Amino acid sequence: MEKLFEKSFKDLGVITFRAFQIEEDSIIIHKWVNMTYAIYWGMMGTTLEEFKSSYSKTLASGTEVYIGEINGKVKVLMEKYNVIEYLKNYYNGSQGDIGMHILIGPSTQTIHRFTWNVFSSVMEFLFIDVSVDRVIVEPDIRNEKIHILNKKAGFEYQKQIQLPHKKAWLATCTRKQFKEVIKLNS
């Protein structure tokens, strides 16, 4: 499978991103979405077939889905979607806006800065696309862990919005904001 992004970290190893393969990756990711830490992903209690069906629809909708591997092991699921269409009733989108969802696999050991290194790599991967000017996220208001990461990455929290399936924060991060954060954290 073609590597679309690769970055090395001293204490972590090599993180790569590739396209999601529904048959190969669903078994692992389905286990994650059924774990209590992934409750905000909204797929608790799904069967493997329900998961595959849902992701077949996600892919057919034009959403791009990626797998992040660390040293060859699946550790991250990331979705890049048409946020202007998805959130058209909640904000005024601009050309160059994309939406992002991220799910990091369950931890088996403590690695210093693991989550930050993964999250910042996701953002770097998204900004490789020169047409992307701003990343928009809409995390559940109760998901404190992702709020911490988002703010560390430079996301500005705009307002709370009521989506059909959750109450969420609308947050934005421009390419410039993220680059400034990376300079501070390197």
Side-chain angles (χ1 to χ4, degrees):
M1 290 175 249
E2 180 185 1
K3 293 177 186 175
L4 304 171
F5 176 89
E6 181 174 292
K7 184 172 182 177
S8 295
F9 293 92
K10 180 182 174 190
D11 297 332
L12 183 62
V14 178
I15 185 167
T16 59
F17 285 94
R18 62 170 173 79
F20 173 76
Q21 303 294 312
I22 201 158
E23 290 303 320
E24 294 85 350
D25 297 320
S26 288
I27 293 170
I28 293 170
I29 306 302
H30 173 254
K31 287 178 186 173
W32 296 358
V33 300
N34 276 284
M35 298 175 86
T36 54
Y37 86 94
I39 191 164
Y40 302 114
W41 204 254
M43 298 189 83
M44 297 268 313
T46 59
T47 66
L48 180 58
E49 289 311 311
E50 289 168 333
F51 177 86
K52 286 181 180 180
S53 175
S54 176
Y55 267 85
S56 291
K57 291 174 187 167
T58 297
L59 292 166
S61 76
T63 295
E64 299 172 29
V65 183
Y66 299 97
I67 291 292
E69 295 181 348
I70 298 175
N71 303 322
K73 294 183 180 174
V74 175
K75 295 290 183 182
V76 182
L77 175 72
M78 190 264 289
E79 299 173 352
K80 176 183 173 184
Y81 62 93
N82 179 345
V83 70
I84 295 172
E85 179 61 29
Y86 183 69
L87 295 178
K88 64 184 171 193
N89 297 324
Y90 304 96
Y91 93 116
N92 294 321
S94 301
Q95 188 174 1
D97 287 355
I98 56 112
M100 181 267 291
H101 295 140
I102 181 175
L103 179 63
I104 299 175
S107 178
T108 56
Q109 61 180 340
T110 301
I111 300 172
H112 181 65
R113 294 175 53 100
F114 174 83
T115 307
W116 170 248
N117 289 336
V118 168
F119 193 84
S120 63
S121 295
V122 165
M123 294 293 287
E124 286 182 44
F125 175 50
L126 291 170
F127 283 125
I128 284 174
D129 181 345
V130 295
S131 71
V132 174
D133 295 321
R134 187 167 65 162
V135 178
I136 313 295
V137 293
E138 26 68 40
D140 191 293
I141 62 168
R142 300 167 295 168
N143 190 345
E144 292 301 324
K145 289 182 180 180
I146 198 65
H147 300 315
I148 292 167
L149 269 177
N150 285 340
K151 289 173 183 175
K152 184 175 181 176
F155 280 89
E156 291 182 355
Y157 276 55
Q158 307 293 327
K159 62 182 177 178
Q160 290 185 4
I161 56 176
Q162 183 63 57
L163 298 172
H165 59 289
K166 67 181 177 183
K167 188 167 188 176
W169 275 105
L170 179 70
T172 63
C173 183
T174 65
R175 179 184 300 273
K176 182 181 177 187
Q177 288 168 313
F178 179 67
K179 283 183 178 180
E180 288 172 5
V181 165
I182 289 300
K183 285 179 191 174
L184 293 174
N185 287 292
S186 50

